[in-house]
Amino acid sequence: MDTHDSHAHAAPQGFIRRWIFSLDHKVIGMQYTTLGIVAVFVGMFLSLLMRIHLVWPGAVLPFLGEIKPETYLQLVTMHGTIMVFFVLTTAPQAGFGNYALPIQIGAPDMAFPVLNMLSFWTTFLAFVAAVAAFFAIGGAPLHGWTGYAPLSALQSSGPGEGLGADLWAISIALFCIGSLMGALNFITTTLDMRAKGMSLMRMPLTCWAWFLTAILGLLAFGVLLAACIILLMDRNLGTSFFIPLGTINGTVTGHNGGSPLLWQHLFWFFGHPEVYIAILPSMGIVSQVLSVFSRKPVFSYKTIVYSMLTIVVLSFTVWGHHMFVSGMSPYSAYGFSITTMAITVPSALLTFCWIATLWRGKIRFTTPALFGIGFVSLFVSGGVTGPFLAQPALDIPLHDTYFVTGHFHLIMGVASMFGILAGFYYWFPKAVGRMMNETMGKLHFWFTFVGAYAIFIPMHYLGLAGHPRRYSQLTEVGYLHDLIPVQKFITIAAFVTLSGQLIFLGNLIWSLVKGKKAADNPWEATTVEWTTATPPPHDNFGGLTPVVVNGPYEYSVPGATRDYVMQTDPAVAHATGD
Amino acid sequence: MGLVLLLFLVLLSVSSLYFFVAKTWWFQVGASTAAAGLDHQFVNTGIAMGIAFLVAQIGLGIILWKYRDKGGDSRAGYHPGHSWADFWVILGAACLFMALDIGVDLLGGHLWAAERFRPAQANATVVEVNAMQFAWYFRYPGPDGKFGATKPELEDASAGGESAIGLDTRDPASKDDFVSGVMYVPIDREVDVILRAHDVIHSFGVPAMRVKQDAVPGLAIHTHFTPTRLGDFDVVCSQLCGLGHYKMHGIVRVVTQDDFDKWQAAREADRQ
């Protein structure tokens, strides 16, 4: 496996080659992560505006004025789009994966550095197109991040459905292209670039997670790309893939024969794997972080690997559970329901393994450990509402209510976010050579952990009471008026929680400049990235090629001189996974 | 820190479950024959998931507290990454979960079958629910029991009533069709709903009846329910349909069979 020489490129000189159009996977990883941070603050800001409008509809905001009902739906659309694509997909996979995968497997770079740079800049263009939608005539689209046709396919179906919706579709198509290139790179790198001795079953679980996520991405984003291209054709070239005979605002559309359900099938064939694309990297990060900070080998490494693999396979068979009441065949609902229920089994096993990893450990409550623990708690809380929604019969009262909003925000939004934050606090010292402030980190954790629950648990109650999603005003339906106090509570909780994120931002900036200098292995971890200098040199290992002899989680090995054995240390008897 | 986490997780689990058990915010009082079964299934699932939730959160909390780093030279308990004993525990856990999930799923299966596999009964009241941005129009077939043809090019929302849905008056079957802004249905008799959308996707959601079904342009989708209480019940659009989604509100008015007949006769008389 000595193909490394061809990938090692000389360290670039000059600011542009080094920091902008860089081929270095570490820089590209940081670029993706920075994009994710910018996007998450934009997305949070949008959600705050939504929350304010919902409970104080007439409020006049400084600089922005009053939020109108159509603006609310534009905020809904862009909040979802930005968070799902540019945060949850970008940061943990493309960001951390790019940064850490090659170093963890002992490679000098990704397999295709130029393709890697191209993936980032394509994704960046996608983000620019998404943000540009706000400034288009009519504003951003109001059709939600799921973009159900014909609402999304007809130019005149509402404000923002003109140029704004075109930019939205172009943005997602570009994002798909960027992600497909990234997925190819990740798969090739994992299969071909591992150092001597780094067998698949010695890879850190993060690498497994990135590898499996890349496979998901390769199979899912192609379908979404096709769907977006067809959508653009329906919108601009007069085709009718998604549009049947009908009217809009009383005018016949001129389209005929298309199927609105086709869009939903294509979208959710991508969309359900997408939620695993968002959370699998976090699963890997959490497995890693819990093992490091409980000073114990991860509980049943192979169960975690095979559970994640099972999730990957099953995730392509469950998309119909988004469509129980869509008008598709009610018989197929049984099949989708069983596969959806089946996916709770590997998910429960993962939870079991994480809790068992902590059991009998010697837990160090560092900031990354706290976010890892928070992930487990949130994953359980968001997970237990899954089996309600997976039943077609119960989906009838619950579908498209706040119960769903609460469910997926807890598990796919906040839990994934906690995995991302765990990873961020964990790798920050390696990437920039300085530690983050622990006190501010812990404060940030408590604000976010308590806050996230205060925001999303009450949404489940709203859903039970029949509160539909995506209502910009609660004035038209009598029983919704009675639920406004709960909505107010959520808005206040959101305001406090989002303010707490400024602690993170402050910590980040302060630590970049003034943080304590980090040692090469500040967490006393075992994986290969902690054997090299901090921050790592351009080729990662300063001309050396690591040779791996141990499994990734050899903590507290009896008889060893210290409580951790590096993957590159002389072999130990209990090598994990062998 | 371990103790704080434990206390928080206990507080979280107990308080969040409290509001489910106390039913502080709960399903609207059921007004159809389907409500009792669905609510019961929700409670059954809730018990299973509530226990799983409680065990996992509090178990996590206890472990965090008990196995916190207390300093000293002692090491964590080494546990090899692979062991056959673990394998059997994990296999057992997987089987248990699988049984629980599939059990819960099967328990609710007949409810879905009753809602969706079985067609409406022959004596059902037939109502065609027409959805368009951002209003509901309820069409009744009249004495002939047949709906007349509609054409998109004839739609005129400003004229309201039959014109709003583009009724083709040249079709003999359309002569006695009439359109109402309120969905009148008689009590204790099944309602056969035919859902049509004229522009984009909408969803016919009636929380009190435990009814929800998307209306999709190009399709005529059937669903059914049997109202068991008199009164007005909210129809809320449950699929994002555009700017006015939040105000796409309608009423199902459940009346006695007599009142329904009288109302229908009066509407028929208006139409002639």
Side-chain angles (χ1 to χ4, degrees):
Chain A
M1 206 167 287
D2 195 16
T3 55
H4 294 181
D5 292 346
S6 58
H7 298 280
H9 34 82
Q13 307 299 320
F15 182 81
I16 289 185
R17 293 294 295 171
R18 204 167 152 203
W19 294 111
I20 311 285
F21 296 106
S22 173
L23 298 177
D24 183 344
H25 72 97
K26 296 187 287 301
V27 175
I28 295 172
M30 288 193 268
Q31 287 174 324
Y32 266 120
T33 309
T34 309
L35 176 62
I37 294 173
V38 171
V40 82
F41 276 92
V42 174
M44 283 193 296
F45 178 65
L46 301 184
S47 68
L48 200 57
L49 296 181
M50 279 154 61
R51 293 303 320 174
I52 290 171
H53 170 77
L54 208 50
V55 297
W56 297 293
V60 179
L61 303 172
F63 305 112
L64 298 163
E66 194 182 334
I67 301 166
K68 299 194 201 81
E70 61 266 39
T71 316
Y72 176 83
L73 290 176
Q74 294 170 340
L75 294 169
V76 167
T77 305
M78 298 313 288
H79 166 77
T81 304
I82 287 175
M83 287 301 202
V84 170
F85 292 101
F86 297 100
V87 180
L88 295 174
T89 311
T90 298
Q93 175 74 7
F96 300 163
N98 254 311
Y99 187 87
L101 174 75
I103 323 186
Q104 285 198 327
I105 61 173
D109 203 325
M110 294 290 274
F112 310 114
V114 177
L115 191 70
N116 206 13
M117 179 180 78
L118 210 56
S119 323
F120 171 74
W121 286 105
T122 311
T123 309
F124 181 78
L125 274 183
F127 184 66
V128 171
V131 173
F134 272 113
F135 302 99
I137 296 163
L142 48 63
H143 54 230
W145 86 279
T146 52
Y148 276 17
L151 185 62
S152 61
L154 294 166
Q155 304 258 7
S156 51
S157 66
E161 289 305 317
L163 182 59
D166 280 324
L167 283 168
W168 176 85
I170 290 167
S171 165
I172 293 182
L174 284 172
F175 188 89
C176 292
I177 295 169
S179 298
L180 286 169
M181 293 191 285
L184 276 175
N185 219 341
F186 272 68
I187 293 169
T188 315
T189 305
T190 311
L191 292 178
D192 286 346
M193 304 274 292
R194 280 172 287 127
K196 185 159 180 266
M198 181 62 85
S199 63
L200 285 173
M201 283 299 176
R202 273 187 189 153
M203 285 201 305
L205 288 163
T206 42
C207 298
W208 267 109
W210 290 318
F211 176 53
L212 293 172
T213 305
I215 295 173
L216 273 180
L218 193 65
L219 297 172
F221 279 111
V223 176
L224 184 64
L225 176 59
C228 281
I229 292 171
I230 299 173
L231 182 67
L232 283 165
M233 286 165 67
D234 271 11
R235 293 178 51 78
N236 297 301
L237 301 179
T239 59
S240 299
F241 288 97
F242 304 131
I243 315 171
L245 181 66
T247 57
I248 195 80
N249 306 324
T251 312
V252 180
T253 61
H255 292 271
N256 197 353
S259 161
L261 290 189
L262 175 63
W263 167 265
Q264 293 184 33
H265 280 294
L266 293 172
F267 184 84
W268 289 118
F269 187 82
F270 147 81
H272 205 81
E274 165 60 29
V275 312
Y276 293 100
I277 290 173
I279 206 168
L280 269 170
S282 288
M283 290 174 168
I285 292 165
V286 168
S287 306
Q288 168 102 4
V289 160
L290 292 183
S291 176
V292 173
F293 294 107
S294 63
R295 313 308 293 164
K296 260 188 73 201
V298 72
F299 187 87
S300 200
Y301 176 94
K302 282 188 179 170
T303 303
I304 295 183
V305 172
Y306 290 126
S307 293
M308 292 199 294
L309 188 65
T310 310
I311 286 175
V312 167
V313 174
L314 284 176
S315 74
F316 282 103
T317 66
V318 301
W319 80 89
H321 69 215
H322 297 272
M323 299 171 61
F324 287 151
V325 300
S326 69
M328 71 166 184
S329 161
Y331 297 98
S332 66
Y334 271 175
F336 286 120
S337 176
I338 292 287
T339 50
T340 306
M341 282 293 190
I343 218 163
T344 63
V345 175
S347 309
L349 292 184
L350 285 168
T351 310
F352 180 78
C353 290
W354 294 322
I355 295 179
T357 301
L358 295 165
W359 170 68
R360 296 182 66 211
K362 196 178 177 188
I363 305 165
R364 299 176 181 174
F365 293 106
T366 60
T367 307
L370 286 174
F371 277 103
I373 290 161
F375 171 94
V376 178
S377 172
L378 288 156
F379 187 71
V380 169
S381 304
V384 289
T385 47
F388 294 91
L389 296 165
Q391 297 176 55
L394 290 186
D395 193 53
I396 296 170
L398 298 176
H399 184 84
D400 220 67
T401 66
Y402 269 81
F403 192 89
V404 179
T405 317
H407 162 74
F408 77 76
H409 271 94
L410 274 184
I411 198 157
M412 175 210 187
V414 189
S416 300
M417 205 60 228
F418 269 56
I420 295 171
L421 287 167
F424 193 89
Y425 281 101
Y426 182 70
W427 281 305
F428 182 88
K430 178 54 64 178
V432 307
R434 289 177 189 275
M435 304 298 288
M436 285 187 81
N437 182 289
E438 276 288 305
T439 312
M440 285 205 268
K442 291 193 171 95
L443 204 60
H444 175 217
F445 165 76
W446 282 108
F447 256 98
T448 317
F449 193 46
V450 179
Y453 273 126
I455 296 168
F456 296 112
I457 292 277
M459 288 194 182
H460 295 83
Y461 308 136
L462 290 177
L464 291 186
H467 196 321
R469 294 168 66 185
R470 294 165 165 175
Y471 270 33
S472 64
Q473 285 179 35
L474 313 175
T475 46
E476 306 296 313
V477 184
Y479 74 87
L480 294 185
H481 203 260
D482 303 336
L483 297 169
I484 288 178
V486 185
Q487 292 282 22
K488 281 198 171 142
F489 175 84
I490 296 173
T491 296
I492 292 164
F495 192 78
V496 174
T497 312
L498 298 191
S499 310
Q501 304 316 303
L502 296 176
I503 303 172
F504 169 74
L505 204 60
N507 192 358
L508 175 62
I509 294 167
W510 186 85
S511 305
L512 272 174
V513 186
K514 290 255 170 139
K516 200 175 74 178
K517 287 263 189 246
D520 285 350
N521 188 3
W523 308 120
E524 301 185 310
T526 54
T527 45
V528 176
E529 79 268 34
W530 305 105
T531 60
T532 185
T534 289
H538 177 71
D539 69 346
N540 293 342
F541 300 101
L544 304 168
T545 310
V547 177
V548 172
V549 288
N550 293 313
Y553 303 112
E554 292 301 332
Y555 293 97
S556 302
V557 183
T561 48
R562 44 184 192 187
D563 82 338
Y564 61 104
V565 179
M566 306 296 292
Q567 286 200 275
T568 51
D569 281 350
V572 295
H574 300 84
T576 314
D578 282 349
Chain B
M1 187 64 82
L3 187 62
V4 184
L5 281 163
L6 168 62
L7 292 176
F8 174 74
L9 290 174
V10 171
L11 185 71
L12 163 79
S13 336
V14 173
S15 60
S16 53
L17 284 180
Y18 168 80
F19 292 109
F20 279 101
V21 176
K23 301 190 178 177
T24 316
W25 296 279
W26 198 246
F27 296 114
Q28 294 179 17
V29 176
S32 74
T33 50
L38 285 175
D39 296 1
H40 184 65
Q41 176 67 9
F42 184 89
V43 170
N44 279 345
T45 311
I47 292 170
M49 291 303 132
I51 292 171
F53 173 70
L54 213 55
V55 168
Q57 297 288 7
I58 295 182
L60 174 67
I62 290 172
I63 286 175
L64 290 173
W65 171 60
K66 193 165 175 213
Y67 298 108
R68 68 196 183 277
D69 184 358
K70 303 182 190 98
D73 291 336
S74 69
R75 284 190 184 173
Y78 183 76
H79 194 91
H82 176 70
S83 93
W84 282 105
D86 292 351
F87 174 79
W88 294 114
V89 171
I90 286 160
L91 192 69
C95 291
L96 192 74
F97 237 83
M98 185 81 98
L100 178 74
D101 281 352
I102 291 178
V104 164
D105 209 13
L106 290 180
L107 278 176
H110 69 281
L111 296 167
W112 177 253
E115 292 273 325
R116 292 296 200 276
F117 294 178
R118 177 178 71 75
Q121 286 155 8
N123 70 345
T125 316
V126 182
V127 186
E128 185 191 71
V129 175
N130 288 270
M132 63 182 77
Q133 288 179 333
F134 300 98
W136 300 99
Y137 296 95
F138 303 100
R139 176 157 73 135
Y140 294 77
D144 68 351
K146 279 189 207 149
F147 287 109
T150 58
K151 288 188 172 153
E153 59 271 25
L154 298 175
E155 280 178 25
D156 181 5
S158 58
E162 292 74 26
S163 307
I165 63 165
L167 189 68
D168 182 0
T169 46
R170 285 169 304 176
D171 182 352
S174 68
K175 291 278 183 258
D176 60 349
D177 291 9
F178 67 90
V179 169
S180 165
V182 172
M183 183 172 176
Y184 276 77
V185 289
I187 191 168
D188 293 331
R189 204 172 117 196
E190 195 159 59
V191 184
D192 182 3
V193 179
I194 303 164
L195 276 163
R196 287 180 61 207
H198 292 248
D199 39 30
V200 300
I201 298 176
H202 304 271
S203 188
F204 181 65
V206 194
M209 301 292 171
R210 308 292 187 270
V211 168
K212 194 173 290 148
Q213 174 59 55
D214 286 4
V216 182
L219 298 179
I221 301 171
H222 281 259
T223 190
H224 50 80
F225 65 95
T226 309
T228 55
R229 281 172 52 214
L230 297 172
D232 282 3
F233 301 95
D234 293 304
V235 178
V236 287
C237 183
S238 300
Q239 188 61 263
L240 178 57
C241 59
L243 176 58
H245 178 48
Y246 69 96
K247 59 183 175 192
M248 192 160 161
H249 173 244
I251 297 282
V252 175
R253 185 163 292 162
V254 182
V255 296
T256 60
Q257 184 69 49
D258 275 356
D259 287 350
F260 180 74
D261 292 340
K262 277 184 213 151
W263 172 78
Q264 191 162 11
R267 294 309 304 259
E268 227 28 86
D270 289 348
R271 186 83 175 87
Q272 300 312 321

